[in-house]
Amino acid sequence: MAAYETLRWRGDAATGVLQLLDQTLLPEQRQEIDCRSVQQVWEAIRVLRVRGAPAIGVSAAYGVVLATQGLRGEALESFRAGLRQACEYLAGSRPTAVNLFWALNRMQQCGDCWSGDSTAELHEQLLLEAVRIDDEDRRMCLAIGQHGAELLQTGMNVLTHCNAGGLATAGDGTALAVIFAAARAGKRLHVFADETRPLLQGARLTAWELQQRGIPVTVICDNMAGQVMREGRVDMVITGADRIAANGDAANKIGTYSVAVLAKHHGIPFCVAAPSSTFDLSLADGSGIPIEERQAEEVTCGFGRRTVPEGVAVYNPAFDVTPAGLITALITERGVVRSPNRDSVVEHLGGG
Ligand code: MRU
């Protein structure tokens, strides 16, 4: 079990708060913050105090509970208007991870389906729905871990990109859940963590989590992955995802696509671990996935000092899309889909 909690609701519906581990401060400082307003949740998502597709969705669900705390006792119509406004507001925090929209949709539906009159009771229901989303995420992480662990044998070296661990979910993570489950089953593994420029989620967060759990980890700069693969030191790549289209194309942290191309070239299996809440079956393929573009300063001043001359143009897409053809297997809470394509993805998600 993790000795850290990424997010947790503390208190009752009327006065509770969302507690988050502030990931912008890791690994140097381990500090929790209390979000008491929807604006604080929006800001925490936007600046990556909480990040990772599933954790963003769960936090947003609790953000809706915070947003509607002041509306208990209002007429149903104005409560519902506030709920809708909160969902629209939170939907603008980040564009790529579909878990955000999935969770907000669940919260909206909970409000829409309410047939009582008491808005205080409806508000209690919203907290229950957020807790359900949270609990489901924890369970999905465990199941992903169990299915994925069967693909790993003792002695393997796994390369991962960004952070798809407990810090990115309410539970044990997705890609890292596979590693944690294999380790619990007694398999000895070693992980290469790509540093993951510009915000260093691999170096700061993945390395921290693995160290916390006693799993051997080596950090490499992103541009070293090819060399490490060529040296024969990587047996499998496992990453998470932010949005997976119906044909299996998967968006994940910028640089994932390059790793997938390298893995293909070196004949290394490339696996993507994600819960069903990360799939967007409304998109036929990855070309429709919105890619977040972030501020130039993340590239120009990433290390607390200027590393790019003033006035030079910068492009900073936060995600890229790995085509399904480069993906050996998708690992979800329902099992493993090998060589994913539209038919197998739709059947996997529909059949269950
Ligand atoms: O910008 P981030 O840190 O939110 O990006 C996170 C990732 O790309 C993760 O790999 C992805 O969300 C999967 S998390 C289980």
Side-chain angles (χ1 to χ4, degrees):
M1 278 301 284
Y4 47 90
E5 209 154 12
T6 302
L7 58 93
R8 122 177 72 148
W9 180 263
R10 260 194 321 114
D12 59 15
T15 60
V17 299
L18 172 63
Q19 195 168 68
L20 299 175
L21 180 60
D22 185 347
Q23 298 186 33
T24 61
L25 303 176
L26 287 171
E28 284 174 307
Q29 280 181 57
R30 188 163 159 178
Q31 194 175 301
E32 283 175 339
I33 49 167
D34 283 347
C35 293
R36 297 177 185 280
S37 69
V38 66
Q39 289 81 6
Q40 275 178 292
V41 176
W42 188 95
E43 190 266 356
I45 294 173
R46 173 60 72 103
V47 308
L48 277 57
R49 296 188 205 289
V50 63
R51 28 89 26 227
I56 292 172
V58 177
S59 301
Y62 286 124
V64 171
V65 180
L66 288 171
T68 45
Q69 274 175 336
L71 302 176
R72 293 166 67 100
E74 295 271 328
L76 189 56
E77 210 171 298
S78 71
F79 188 99
R80 282 206 171 116
L83 169 60
R84 204 168 27 253
Q85 238 174 35
C87 290
E88 282 167 11
Y89 173 64
L90 285 162
S93 56
R94 291 190 77 187
T96 304
V98 77
N99 309 60
L100 171 66
F101 309 99
W102 172 85
L104 291 173
N105 210 24
R106 291 254 313 242
M107 297 302 282
Q108 185 69 63
Q109 270 179 16
C110 179
D112 291 348
C113 295
W114 173 249
S115 54
D117 307 317
S118 158
T119 48
E121 272 175 43
L122 169 52
H123 188 247
E124 301 288 331
Q125 289 305 314
L126 287 178
L127 176 58
L128 288 178
E129 183 66 357
V131 170
R132 265 193 294 272
I133 290 170
D134 186 341
D135 288 344
E136 281 171 29
D137 188 55
R138 288 169 203 261
R139 282 199 299 275
M140 288 194 282
C141 289
L142 282 176
I144 287 170
Q146 271 153 14
H147 291 302
E150 287 171 25
L151 306 176
L152 295 177
Q153 277 103 49
T154 205
M156 279 175 95
N157 289 285
V158 178
L159 185 140
T160 190
H161 190 76
C162 193
N163 173 266
L167 291 169
T169 65
D172 243 3
T174 58
L176 294 196
V178 171
I179 288 157
F180 297 145
R184 278 196 298 273
K187 297 177 185 174
R188 274 180 304 97
L189 303 168
H190 166 261
V191 178
F192 282 105
D194 276 352
E195 187 180 40
T196 318
R197 276 283 280 146
L199 295 181
L200 304 174
Q201 288 93 329
R204 294 188 302 106
L205 308 177
T206 296
W208 183 80
E209 273 197 57
L210 290 167
Q211 187 183 48
Q212 293 280 318
R213 306 245 200 161
I215 295 177
V217 55
T218 303
V219 172
I220 55 171
C221 298
D222 301 330
N223 52 4
M224 297 172 187
Q227 177 63 16
V228 175
M229 288 181 185
R230 192 174 206 167
E231 288 168 5
R233 297 171 71 188
V234 178
D235 300 299
M236 185 177 286
V237 177
I238 313 179
T239 72
D242 287 82
R243 193 185 293 228
I244 304 176
N247 71 339
D249 289 355
N252 192 48
K253 178 53 54 191
I254 191 74
T256 303
Y257 169 52
S258 321
V259 175
V261 171
L262 284 170
K264 182 78 163 183
H265 181 77
H266 291 94
I268 297 166
F270 180 93
C271 301
V272 174
S276 47
S277 52
T278 300
F279 286 77
D280 183 351
L281 298 186
S282 75
L283 297 179
D285 60 47
S287 62
I289 299 177
I291 301 293
E292 178 181 13
E293 212 180 304
R294 295 184 62 89
Q295 310 89 289
E297 290 69 36
E298 291 180 354
V299 176
T300 58
C301 306
F303 299 94
R305 59 173 291 238
R306 178 159 273 282
T307 55
V308 179
E310 230 56 75
V312 168
V314 170
Y315 177 46
N316 183 19
F319 298 94
D320 58 27
V321 176
T322 297
L326 295 178
I327 299 174
T328 311
L330 292 173
I331 306 162
T332 79
E333 77 276 11
R334 296 174 184 215
V336 175
V337 188
R338 289 171 201 274
S339 308
N341 57 41
R342 190 183 162 82
D343 290 346
S344 58
V345 167
V346 171
E347 191 194 326
H348 181 76
L349 294 175

